[in-house]
Amino acid sequence: MRESFLPFSRPSIGEEEVSAVREVLLSGWITTGPVTQRFEEEFARLVGAAHGVSVSSATAGLQIALMALGVGPGDQVITTPMTFAATVNAIIYTGATPVLVDVEGDTLNMDPSKIEGAITDRTRAIMPVHFAGLPVDLDPIREIASRHRLHLVEDCAHAIGSAYKGRPIGSSPSPLGVFSFHPAKNMTTAEGGIIVTDREDLADACRVMRQHGMSKGAWKRFAQSGRPDYEIVSPGIKANLTDLQSAIGLEQLKKLSHFQERRSQIAQIYDSELRGLKGLITPGTPRYPHVHGHHLYWVMLKTEELGMSREEVMARLKEMNIGTGVHYKAVHHHVRYREFGWSDQDLPNASYASSRVMSIPLFPEMTREDAMDVVRALWEVCR
Ligand SMILES: Cc1ncc(COP(=O)(O)O)c(C=O)c1O
């Protein structure tokens, strides 16, 4: 058994991030300003989007994205049950109602063939999640969105480094995509997120809405070249990213291709070493061309065959010093969302996965030996 505990995720922070934060701390400007502007430009360039509007979290970013599109009370937004609460909460915060459609059993991504049946005259947007870093099949979803005149807001929280048919996730979103920089994500700003779009009008609206609906942010008001007057011109929330966080983000961007390479190598070890294990289902691979961002590596436990619940397996692994995560208990299984009346019969694949899916350790600083410890522990527990 391994001697030290292996967490399921750990951010990679080095002296570079520490120095960058120190520099900003001592610069006299620590909230949203020039460093954030640079970070937004560099991130947007990386994913091939014309504009990036940073925010304090992807949750806030998803809410702002919907608000900028005019989604609000009385509207419905179609999304997936295999996601973090943030996705549905962002919809609820706008006053709109989330509508769930089931996922594909092998990828846990939103099933495009289920979307049209959920469209009503109140539907305004579709919000898919690129689950675990595997891009959803965007072409059929874009086609449905365009035929029904719906907005597509991509929840790209897991999709840093992912690509669909040769283009990075985040390039040409239709019209908005939102990434997360939470510490468990592929790169981090401690907390934070970014909205990306090719449309200047939407980028401007998001920028105003992330700061109370103010006509200009603090940097434009208080810097030497700025003017302190402002007007509240639209609804908004307070969700700006600080220069302290953006300084971390700029350093993380320099390391991102290395992070992605390591994640991919660890995932390949799991792919080849876990495939023969009978009590497990490993993630399926779609036929369309894509790059998996490997944010998470999930497995599905055949709990009936194993004679153990997921929680029992997780406890056994913990005793062996292997950390795990649950991504996710399906949205409709949480008490808070009972009022929406979603049922297991309508969402069979998500309902099956909800009590069986488990994420195993995946982060750039893991060694091959760490990954093999996970493999050996799983073989021992699941044999
Ligand atoms: C699919 C998904 N969407 C949105 C979010 C929200 O991200 P944040 O923590 O940056 O608000 C998360 C966070 O885990 C997520 O997994």
Side-chain angles (χ1 to χ4, degrees):
M1 189 179 91
R2 13 178 328 118
E3 282 183 359
S4 61
F5 183 69
L6 181 68
F8 106 86
S9 174
R10 185 161 60 206
S12 299
I13 300 291
E15 283 306 320
E16 300 80 4
E17 285 81 357
V18 175
S19 308
V21 169
R22 183 182 154 81
E23 201 176 306
V24 174
L25 270 174
L26 299 175
S27 72
W29 190 270
I30 56 177
T31 186
T32 314
V35 180
T36 299
Q37 194 176 331
R38 210 166 73 235
F39 176 55
E40 289 175 339
E41 286 164 5
E42 288 198 17
F43 189 87
R45 196 175 314 125
L46 174 87
V47 300
H51 307 277
V53 180
S54 62
V55 276
S56 55
S57 69
T59 312
L62 290 167
Q63 180 186 350
I64 290 170
L66 290 172
M67 285 166 61
L69 293 166
V71 174
D75 296 333
Q76 292 178 342
V77 178
I78 295 175
T79 191
T80 164
M82 285 310 283
T83 187
F84 184 50
T87 316
V88 278
N89 283 349
I91 298 167
I92 293 168
Y93 296 156
T94 68
T97 303
V99 173
L100 301 182
V101 297
D102 204 10
V103 293
E104 300 163 337
D106 56 345
T107 66
L108 304 187
N109 261 335
M110 184 189 251
D111 184 343
S113 72
K114 298 286 178 349
I115 294 174
E116 276 199 288
I119 295 175
T120 70
D121 55 5
R122 290 170 57 198
T123 310
R124 293 289 305 280
I126 307 172
M127 195 188 270
V129 172
H130 302 288
F131 184 75
L134 175 69
V136 295
D137 197 0
L138 277 169
D139 280 350
I141 301 180
R142 284 181 178 139
E143 193 275 318
I144 293 166
S146 122
R147 193 151 34 82
H148 292 269
R149 294 171 186 275
L150 303 175
H151 304 296
L152 183 55
V153 176
E154 292 171 50
D155 181 337
C156 310
H158 298 183
I160 296 171
S162 305
Y164 175 77
K165 298 191 176 171
R167 303 190 62 172
I169 291 298
S171 69
S172 314
S174 357
L176 292 153
V178 182
F179 292 86
S180 170
F181 303 128
H182 175 274
K185 300 300 188 291
N186 291 27
M187 58 169 276
T188 189
T189 56
E191 292 284 356
I194 193 164
I195 306 165
V196 295
T197 181
D198 284 348
R199 275 180 50 185
E200 193 170 1
D201 61 326
L202 287 178
D204 289 344
C206 291
R207 212 163 265 127
V208 167
M209 284 180 170
R210 75 167 172 198
Q211 196 108 21
H212 299 292
M214 281 167 104
S215 55
K216 40 185 152 144
W219 177 246
K220 290 213 172 127
R221 283 180 286 128
F222 302 125
Q224 198 179 7
S225 57
R227 284 179 42 182
D229 58 310
Y230 67 88
E231 181 105 33
I232 301 294
V233 292
S234 83
I237 60 173
K238 178 67 163 64
N240 54 308
L241 192 75
T242 67
D243 272 15
L244 283 176
Q245 293 164 295
S246 298
I248 301 173
L250 281 168
E251 294 307 316
Q252 294 268 293
L253 278 177
K254 293 180 197 160
K255 304 176 181 178
L256 188 59
S257 57
H258 167 68
F259 292 166
Q260 292 304 110
E261 198 181 312
R262 287 298 303 144
R263 283 181 178 274
S264 165
Q265 286 163 352
I266 303 292
Q268 274 168 32
I269 296 173
Y270 289 152
D271 278 345
S272 60
E273 300 291 335
L274 295 176
R275 202 141 273 167
L277 191 45
K278 282 218 178 75
L280 281 190
I281 300 169
T282 50
T285 305
R287 293 230 177 90
Y288 48 83
H290 68 277
V291 175
H292 197 312
H294 296 299
H295 165 52
L296 299 170
Y297 196 101
W298 60 266
V299 293
M300 202 126 61
L301 300 165
K302 295 184 185 167
T303 48
E304 294 81 359
E305 234 171 81
L306 292 168
M308 271 187 289
S309 69
R310 170 183 58 204
E311 284 60 37
E312 284 169 319
V313 172
M314 290 172 74
R316 288 279 305 278
L317 290 169
K318 197 170 184 185
E319 281 166 17
M320 299 162 94
N321 271 336
I322 306 289
T324 50
V326 173
H327 303 91
Y328 295 93
K329 172 171 167 170
V331 167
H332 62 292
H333 286 171
H334 289 278
V335 182
R336 187 263 173 265
Y337 305 111
R338 280 205 189 131
E339 64 179 271
F340 294 99
W342 293 311
S343 76
D344 281 6
Q345 288 93 307
D346 294 334
L347 305 164
N349 290 334
S351 302
Y352 180 86
S354 181
S355 58
R356 294 172 179 83
V357 72
M358 175 180 88
S359 303
I360 56 179
L362 178 59
F363 56 91
E365 283 168 18
M366 273 178 73
T367 61
R368 182 179 168 80
E369 210 28 51
D370 289 332
M372 288 308 294
D373 283 342
V374 178
V375 167
R376 281 188 286 268
L378 273 170
W379 273 90
E380 192 171 325
V381 173
C382 296
R383 204 190 313 255

